[in-house]
């Protein structure tokens, strides 16, 4: 079932996107604001040390943890599409979820959900057969998938009887068809604009596209990317809107 407006809305963020001493996010500042962390599992970013650190930090803050599996493309940060079969999608997601599960078990935390990353997220949103590979992993773990309501994310999940949570994005633009415009490099987001996007979606059930049109949207969680330069300020602005609602 899709989480809809009126249900409890969570704030989530993509985290653990780091290698050794190098990090691409604002994880410590965000952990006290968000409800759910989508943790990178090693293919697009996130090494074992980053997974350990992120899961431990989430446990300290009472933040739920889901897997954020991506394409095996470290150089492109998982933001370059690949030609994959449904079985390949299933295998690469299963591998990454398994890696994260080891750290969750150490910290006695359950896996909360699965949310594909970057270009894999976009590929699965357009192709039900590819998305079916991801859904099979979620079904085995008994967890929901996060994705775009009305897309192949939702259709494949519902076809398999797997729970689905729709997302709203406040730091990415939507095209005229309701698809996300994913940039290779993150940019700063105006916190006031992000808060207004969240407010319109919560109150009116719509999101405004780059064409200026309004599209209806259903969602159960709002995503703020951790690698946005001012991610903590954006998340705090969104948190205030959600709490007020």
């Amino acid at each position: 079932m899709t989480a809809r407006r009126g249900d409890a809305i969570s704030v989530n963020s993509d985290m653990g996107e780091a290698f050794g001493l190098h990090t691409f996010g604002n994880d410590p500042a965000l952990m006290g604001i968000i409800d759910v962390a989508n943790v990178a599992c090693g293919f697009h970013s996130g090494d074992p040390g980053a997974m350990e650190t992120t899961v431990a930090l989430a446990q300290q803050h009472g933040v739920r943890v889901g897997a954020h599996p991506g394409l095996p493309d470290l150089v492109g940060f998982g933001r370059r599409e690949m030609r994959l079969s449904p079985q390949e999608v299933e295998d690469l997601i299963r591998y990454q979820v398994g890696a994260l599960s080891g750290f969750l078990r150490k910290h006695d935390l359950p896996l909360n959900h699965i949310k594909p990353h970057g270009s894999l997220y976009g590929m699965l949103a357009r192709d039900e057969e590819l998305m079916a590979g991801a859904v099979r992993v979620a079904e085995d773990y008994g967890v929901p998938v996060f994705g775009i309501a009305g897309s192949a994310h939702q259709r494949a999940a519902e076809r398999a009887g797997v729970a689905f949570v729709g997302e709203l994005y406040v730091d990415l633009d939507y095209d005229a068809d309701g698809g996300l415009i994913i940039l290779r490099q993150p940019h700063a987001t105006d916190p006031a604009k992000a808060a207004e996007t969240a407010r319109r979606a919560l109150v009116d059930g719509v999101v405004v596209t780059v064409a200026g049109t309004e599209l209806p949207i259903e969602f159960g969680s709002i995503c703020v990317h951790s690698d946005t330069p001012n991610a903590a300020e954006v998340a705090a602005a969104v948190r205030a809107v959600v709490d007020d609602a």
Side-chain angles (χ1 to χ4, degrees):
M1 179 180 295
T2 305
R4 301 175 185 273
R5 290 179 299 111
D7 296 338
I9 303 296
S10 66
V11 178
N12 77 77
S13 188
D14 304 340
M15 294 191 159
E17 294 176 328
F19 299 105
L21 301 178
H22 306 285
T23 180
F24 305 98
N26 295 277
D27 295 9
L30 287 165
M31 278 293 187
I33 302 172
I34 64 170
D35 306 293
V36 180
N38 317 303
V39 178
C41 306
F43 274 25
H44 76 279
S45 188
D47 60 21
M51 280 189 271
E52 161 63 20
T53 299
T54 308
V55 171
L57 192 60
Q59 182 188 45
Q60 293 170 18
H61 287 272
V63 171
R64 303 189 298 275
V65 176
H68 196 39
L71 294 171
D73 179 20
L74 296 177
V75 173
F77 201 66
R79 290 176 177 163
R80 301 183 293 188
E81 291 196 3
M82 295 181 175
R83 189 181 300 276
L84 299 173
S85 70
Q87 185 62 53
E88 288 173 322
V89 168
E90 178 180 346
D91 292 347
L92 67 86
I93 290 178
R94 190 177 299 279
Y95 184 96
Q96 293 176 82
V97 173
L100 178 64
S101 294
F103 295 97
L104 291 173
R105 182 171 182 176
K106 174 185 174 180
H107 292 278
D108 196 27
L109 292 177
L111 179 70
N112 186 72
H113 66 280
I114 297 173
K115 172 186 170 179
H117 163 82
S119 286
L120 180 61
Y121 188 92
M123 290 163 58
L124 303 190
R126 300 189 300 269
D127 190 324
E128 282 190 52
E129 295 309 309
L130 287 182
M131 184 60 192
V135 167
R136 284 192 289 272
V137 182
E139 185 175 24
D140 287 345
Y141 278 87
V143 297
V145 291
F146 278 31
I148 301 173
S151 74
H153 291 159
Q154 181 177 12
R155 294 192 297 271
E158 292 184 344
R159 188 173 66 187
V162 168
F164 172 79
V165 177
E167 289 190 285
L168 168 70
Y169 285 84
V170 296
D171 51 15
L172 292 177
D173 290 323
Y174 288 82
D175 64 27
D177 297 320
L180 291 171
I181 300 174
I182 299 176
L183 304 175
R184 290 288 297 277
Q185 294 289 337
H187 58 81
T189 297
D190 180 357
K193 180 181 178 182
E196 178 61 14
T197 298
R199 188 198 67 79
R200 286 294 311 277
L202 284 164
V203 174
D204 301 325
V206 299
V207 65
V208 179
T209 72
V210 291
T213 56
E214 295 181 350
L215 289 177
I217 186 167
E218 293 182 351
F219 61 98
S221 193
I222 302 174
C223 180
V224 176
H225 287 94
S226 65
D227 60 351
T228 300
N230 59 335
E233 290 83 1
V234 174
V238 171
R239 174 89 269 164
V241 172
V242 171
D243 290 347
D244 286 345

